[in-house]
Amino acid sequence: LKLLPEDRDVWDLIPYFSGILVLQMFSSILSNYSQISLKRLSLRIQASLESMIYDKILMFSVLNPSDHDEGSISNYINLDAPKVKDALEQFVWVFEGALTLCFCMVIGFYFYDWKFAVCLGVFGLGVCVTSPKFVATAARTSGPCRARSFRR
C-alpha cells in the first residue's frame, strides 16, 4: 500500500502538517478569546439590565396600583435577564459555525467540483429524511400504518 507518489518523500509533507498544526492552534486561541470576551460582555449586559429593572422597582409606589408591581418586575429580572445573557453567549457558536460552513464549502467546491455538490445533496437529503419533523409528518400522512395490538 503506497500512500504517496513515487517522487514525493514523507519529509516533504512536514511543512504542511506543521502549518495545519499552527493554524489549528491559532484558531483555538481566537475562539477562546472571542468566547471569553463575549461572556464578559454578556455578564455586563445582564448586570446592567438587572440594575435598570431594580431602579424601576424603586420608582413604584404601593399607593399607585398597576399591572407591573414589584413581584412581576422581580420575575422579569429572574427570567429575562439571564436569557439575554445566554443568547449573547451563544452568538459566538452561530457565527463560528457559519464561517466554518462557508470555508468548508469553498474548499470542497475548489478541490472536488461537482462531486462535492453530489455529496452535499446526499447529506442534505439524509438530514431531511432522518429529521424528527420529517418522520412525524410522514407517519401522519402514510395511511393505514397504525400500531396493531397483540390481543386475541
Side-chain angles (χ1 to χ4, degrees):
L1 179 68
K2 195 80 166 151
L3 296 177
L4 294 173
E6 293 294 329
D7 59 342
R8 298 286 304 240
D9 190 22
V10 175
W11 296 105
D12 292 341
L13 298 176
I14 296 231
Y16 295 115
F17 289 134
S18 60
I20 289 172
L21 179 70
V22 168
L23 283 176
Q24 185 62 36
M25 289 174 61
F26 186 67
S27 70
S28 296
I29 290 170
L30 283 179
S31 176
N32 287 337
Y33 178 73
S34 65
Q35 287 175 5
I36 288 171
S37 298
L38 201 59
K39 189 164 185 81
R40 184 176 55 208
L41 178 67
S42 65
L43 283 172
R44 291 178 80 182
I45 289 175
Q46 180 187 4
S48 65
L49 278 174
E50 288 175 354
S51 66
M52 285 178 8
I53 294 173
Y54 277 128
D55 188 39
K56 185 81 169 174
I57 287 175
L58 293 176
M59 289 185 196
F60 280 114
S61 171
V62 179
L63 301 174
N64 295 332
S66 69
D67 292 336
H68 303 288
D69 57 350
E70 293 87 354
S72 66
I73 292 179
S74 64
N75 189 22
Y76 296 152
I77 292 173
N78 292 332
L79 295 178
D80 294 338
K83 287 181 184 177
V84 171
K85 178 187 75 83
D86 293 339
L88 285 173
E89 288 176 5
Q90 297 302 321
F91 177 72
V92 169
W93 294 105
V94 171
F95 187 68
E96 184 178 342
L99 282 179
T100 303
L101 179 66
C102 291
F103 180 74
C104 289
M105 289 185 72
V106 166
I107 295 296
F109 280 117
Y110 179 75
F111 284 115
Y112 298 111
D113 293 330
W114 62 272
K115 296 173 212 159
F116 183 73
V118 169
C119 290
L120 200 62
V122 169
F123 176 73
L125 182 66
V127 168
C128 288
V129 168
T130 59
S131 71
K133 184 177 181 182
F134 182 81
V135 171
T137 305
R140 270 196 319 256
T141 60
S142 64
C145 232
R146 296 196 174 100
R148 296 185 177 128
S149 64
F150 291 104
R151 285 186 255 152
R152 296 183 187 216

